[in-house]
Amino acid sequence: MTGTVLSLLIGGLIFLSIGGELLVRGASRLAVLVGISPLVVGLTVVAFGTSSPELAVSIQAGLAGKSDIAVGNVIGSNIFNILFILGACALISPLIVAVQLIRREVPLMIVISLLFAGLALDGVIGWLDGFLLFSLLLIYTIWAIYASRKESMAAQVEFAQEFGPNTLPEQRSPRVWFVNLGFIVGGLLCLSFGSNWLVDGATMLARAFGVSDVVIGLTIVAAGTSLPEVVASIVATIKRERDIAVGNVIGSNIFNILGILGLAALVTPGGLQVAPAVSTFDLPVMLAVAFATLPIFITGLSINRWEGVLFLSYYIAYTTYVLLAATQHDALPAFSSVMVSFVLPITVVTLAILTFHAIRRRDWQKVQS
């Protein structure tokens, strides 16, 4: 039993990682070939590609009647993406945040998160809800690609870095297109196998230890399916492609709600059921994390190392709480009291002060100029 579960989990994660890497590599290169800017590549192609494991797992879970895993996967992945991935990347190197993200994508991510919370109030994400979410994804993608055409010079620089300074997109041979299409197809096949194995293994693990599907979806499955985002963002940070690193996370969170939740609700008979515990705790945590990005980004158009430590610490605290609550551990009341009475208020006050000083500093700079 144990060997089978471990084989399914490890094999699923390996195939998901390989599939995500192949898909991102092929899709990002094809995007550059058609003239999409690096930031938009991170927000759409890379973000959607690295979210493909979440998509495959949530659809598979929905079709199997396991709504808790499907919904928990989306919420857990969004929390993981911001707190863990941005935190880890900021520890490697402070992340410079593009102004476009502050003005457009981060507020959009917050609005979409609020929409998700509103649709979940009745305890189910139904067929019409899924249709609405997926339609919004199509509109956002078309709009983002259209807007990126105005940034064609940045795309040409990206293309030159990828394929050579003296090569234009229209001069590439058909072989380049076929190779990258092959990466995409191979990636999708790996994602299909990996998602099946991971869902099966996670379900068996939950039953063996008496842990609910919600907890498995919020922790193991969410972190496992986010491995492509982890790899893509960390590699982008090391290569100083910070637009792609940050854009990947924000774009993935947008895609998780609009694309993954939307499609999973469309294909799941009766829609996706949202557990009361998720609505009262995990969903509010996801909203709080989404809102927390805005003041941190605004404070200096960057995510510094200490802010990365803050993000990582909160992810550890969140995961600890979920596990303590699932096992009804004796330490749960004390842990909850410390978080609610001390840690959260201090963090809110700190972010408020930083935001206030950042706004005053910018106003002062405007007066001086």
Side-chain angles (χ1 to χ4, degrees):
M1 174 68 174
T2 304
T4 302
V5 171
L6 289 177
S7 298
L8 287 171
L9 289 175
I10 294 173
L13 292 176
I14 290 174
F15 268 82
L16 286 173
S17 299
I18 294 174
E21 169 64 23
L22 291 175
L23 185 61
V24 169
R25 179 176 299 184
S28 60
R29 289 182 178 179
L30 286 181
V32 171
L33 282 171
V34 297
I36 299 176
S37 70
L39 178 58
V40 176
V41 168
L43 285 167
T44 56
V45 179
V46 177
F48 296 178
T50 54
S51 290
S52 296
E54 287 98 321
L55 175 62
V57 166
S58 289
I59 289 179
Q60 176 69 20
L63 290 174
K66 302 183 184 303
S67 294
D68 285 345
I69 287 182
V71 175
N73 182 33
V74 170
I75 296 175
S77 292
N78 277 23
I79 295 171
F80 181 87
N81 286 348
I82 292 176
L83 296 184
F84 184 88
I85 298 179
L86 284 185
C89 290
L91 280 181
I92 295 173
S93 177
L95 299 173
I96 307 301
V97 182
V99 176
Q100 174 182 326
L101 288 172
I102 304 297
R103 293 178 177 173
R104 194 172 73 186
E105 265 70 31
V106 171
L108 180 61
M109 178 187 68
I110 292 173
V111 169
I112 291 171
S113 299
L114 288 170
L115 174 62
F116 174 21
L119 294 176
L121 286 176
D122 60 355
V124 61
I125 304 295
W127 186 89
L128 288 178
D129 298 334
F131 180 78
L132 171 63
L133 293 173
F134 192 70
S135 298
L136 290 175
L137 175 68
L138 295 179
I139 293 171
Y140 167 73
T141 304
I142 294 171
W143 171 63
I145 293 176
Y146 173 78
S148 76
R149 305 299 295 184
K150 299 178 182 179
E151 304 172 14
S152 58
M153 288 302 297
Q156 293 299 323
V157 171
E158 180 76 8
F159 183 89
Q161 293 174 347
E162 187 73 34
F163 296 108
N166 300 317
T167 308
L168 297 175
E170 59 266 26
Q171 294 175 330
R172 297 306 305 174
S173 67
R175 178 178 174 276
V176 174
W177 294 83
F178 284 120
V179 168
N180 289 300
L181 284 173
F183 284 150
I184 293 174
V185 173
L188 290 172
L189 290 174
C190 288
L191 290 172
S192 177
F193 284 113
S195 64
N196 287 328
W197 292 352
L198 188 63
V199 170
D200 291 343
T203 303
M204 293 172 66
L205 187 66
R207 291 173 179 171
F209 288 92
V211 178
S212 68
D213 286 348
V214 173
V215 175
I216 296 297
L218 287 167
T219 54
I220 296 175
V221 176
T225 55
S226 292
L227 284 177
E229 282 99 325
V230 175
V231 174
S233 289
I234 289 179
V235 169
T237 301
I238 294 173
K239 293 183 177 180
R240 299 194 177 278
E241 296 283 355
R242 292 163 181 170
D243 278 351
I244 290 181
V246 180
N248 175 36
V249 169
I250 302 301
S252 292
N253 280 19
I254 293 173
F255 180 77
N256 285 349
I257 295 175
L258 297 183
I260 296 175
L261 202 67
L263 279 176
L266 284 173
V267 303
T268 301
L272 296 172
Q273 304 298 316
V274 182
V278 171
S279 298
T280 56
F281 178 72
D282 302 290
L283 194 49
V285 169
M286 187 195 77
L287 289 174
V289 169
F291 274 99
T293 59
L294 197 55
I296 286 180
F297 284 1
I298 289 176
T299 52
L301 294 179
S302 64
I303 306 175
N304 298 314
R305 284 192 171 90
W306 75 266
E307 291 167 329
V309 172
L310 183 67
F311 276 14
L312 285 172
S313 299
Y314 269 114
Y315 183 73
I316 294 172
Y318 166 74
T319 305
T320 301
Y321 178 88
V322 169
L323 294 176
L324 289 177
T327 58
Q328 292 297 308
H329 197 277
D330 293 339
L332 179 61
F335 182 82
S336 302
S337 178
V338 171
M339 292 296 297
V340 173
S341 302
F342 297 99
V343 178
L344 290 179
I346 291 173
T347 303
V348 170
V349 171
T350 301
L351 291 177
I353 293 173
L354 289 173
T355 303
F356 175 75
H357 282 297
I359 294 174
R360 287 195 60 184
R361 184 168 60 250
R362 289 185 186 179
D363 290 342
W364 175 254
Q365 290 173 349
K366 288 180 180 178
V367 172
Q368 293 297 314
S369 60

